[in-house]
Amino acid sequence: MNIILFGPPGAGKGTQGSLLEERYDLVRLSTGELLREAARNGTALGLQARVFMDAGELVPDAVILGMVGEVMHARGNRGGFIFDGFPRTGAQALALDAMAREMGSPIDAVLVLTVDDEELVRRLSGRLYCPNCGRIFQRYSDPPAKEGTCDTCGHALDQREDDREDTVRRRLDVYREQTAPVLQKFEKLGVPIHHIDGDRSVDDVNASLTAILG
Ligand code: AP5
């Protein structure tokens, strides 16, 4: 099974992707996380990508497709992938469709999380993450037990550079202008698209997703 978690920044793709990854035998492939890891490691790709990410703009397709192709071929199709934050342009969607077919397992579904803009801004400006284990917290709705410290591994929590309010608003514009239209490509390709109300508790959203996936 290959599924795409789709939706604006802050809709809960990472949160739900991690839960689904645990529940099903799938590999989560988050292009945002791969790019942040490359930037942390100081690779040429990571440093180039960081300029776009910090400005809230999309990283060029050639960079993304090279990176995704490498990961997909290296990991093989062990039970399939959850694509999180990918594809984000028409060119990425067509390339993913071709790669997935070539590997003998086409895309089964696109799951679209919908949340209104002001809630997204609230969520992202309050998001904290653990640079050590990757766990995500929300300052207002899901705070860590001890302020600034990861409940799982005890590491100090951090805030993403692109979670400043002005950058979040730019990311939302980019989503509307360049990414939302990608859904039409999947419609044309005949891939089932499911819209899920993401403005509910994490558990309720997860229950809707698992009801769809079975
Ligand atoms: P990426 O890392 O993919 O960021 P994004 O899509 O903007 O998504 P986020 O990670 O911000 O949000 P999310 O939907 O995963 O929500 P989360 O679960 O974390 O991309 C970053 C950048 O990299 C892009 O801007 C671009 O520059 C570049 N990039 C990446 N992929 C690219 C591509 N394919 N092409 C080109 N460029 C690319 O949740 C957010 C917060 O809300 C958390 O605090 C969480 O705790 C909280 N939360 C989650 N669910 C709920 C809920 N139900 N109720 C209340 N709070 C909740």
Side-chain angles (χ1 to χ4, degrees):
M1 176 161 75
N2 284 318
I3 58 173
I4 295 174
L5 273 180
F6 200 93
K13 303 182 295 296
T15 304
Q16 296 298 334
S18 301
L19 295 172
L20 295 177
E21 183 180 34
E22 265 180 36
R23 184 181 172 116
Y24 299 94
D25 183 24
L26 299 172
V27 174
R28 184 166 73 98
L29 194 162
S30 157
T31 41
E33 282 180 13
L34 290 173
L35 292 168
R36 280 186 290 280
E37 191 186 334
R40 270 196 306 277
N41 293 337
T43 66
L45 181 151
L47 296 177
Q48 185 196 353
R50 175 165 245 160
V51 178
F52 293 94
M53 295 168 82
D54 287 353
E57 303 294 336
L58 295 185
V59 173
D61 286 339
V63 174
I64 299 291
L65 290 174
M67 191 176 74
V68 170
E70 248 177 55
V71 175
M72 282 178 75
H73 285 106
R75 289 188 188 168
N77 209 352
R78 296 198 313 261
F81 288 93
I82 300 172
F83 296 99
D84 166 356
F86 172 83
R88 273 169 137 104
T89 64
Q92 291 180 22
L94 294 178
L96 172 62
D97 181 63
M99 279 191 278
R101 282 175 199 280
E102 194 187 301
M103 292 176 78
S105 50
I107 303 299
D108 295 288
V110 182
L111 306 174
V112 188
L113 298 174
T114 58
V115 177
D116 78 44
D117 279 11
E118 288 318 305
E119 168 65 8
L120 294 171
V121 172
R122 190 193 71 85
R123 282 187 189 181
L124 292 182
S125 54
R127 171 166 56 187
L128 299 166
Y129 76 97
C130 175
N132 185 46
C133 71
R135 184 161 168 191
I136 298 171
F137 296 86
Q138 219 291 335
R139 194 171 278 146
Y140 314 113
S141 58
D142 179 26
K146 186 175 165 209
E147 199 184 331
T149 305
C150 179
D151 290 353
T152 303
C153 69
H155 199 279
L157 298 175
D158 206 348
Q159 181 165 36
R160 270 169 51 174
E161 182 63 33
D162 60 349
D163 278 348
R164 292 196 336 258
E165 183 172 338
D166 54 340
T167 313
V168 169
R169 292 198 185 275
R170 177 61 197 149
R171 287 162 63 197
L172 291 173
D173 287 344
V174 167
Y175 174 78
R176 250 187 307 275
E177 291 158 13
Q178 300 179 50
T179 301
V182 170
L183 285 178
Q184 288 157 19
K185 290 261 185 271
F186 286 110
E187 244 166 48
K188 280 193 188 142
L189 291 166
V191 180
I193 299 173
H194 303 268
H195 292 266
I196 297 105
D197 177 5
D199 201 355
R200 295 174 295 151
S201 72
V202 170
D203 288 348
D204 285 355
V205 175
N206 194 249
S208 297
L209 293 171
T210 54
I212 292 166
L213 296 174

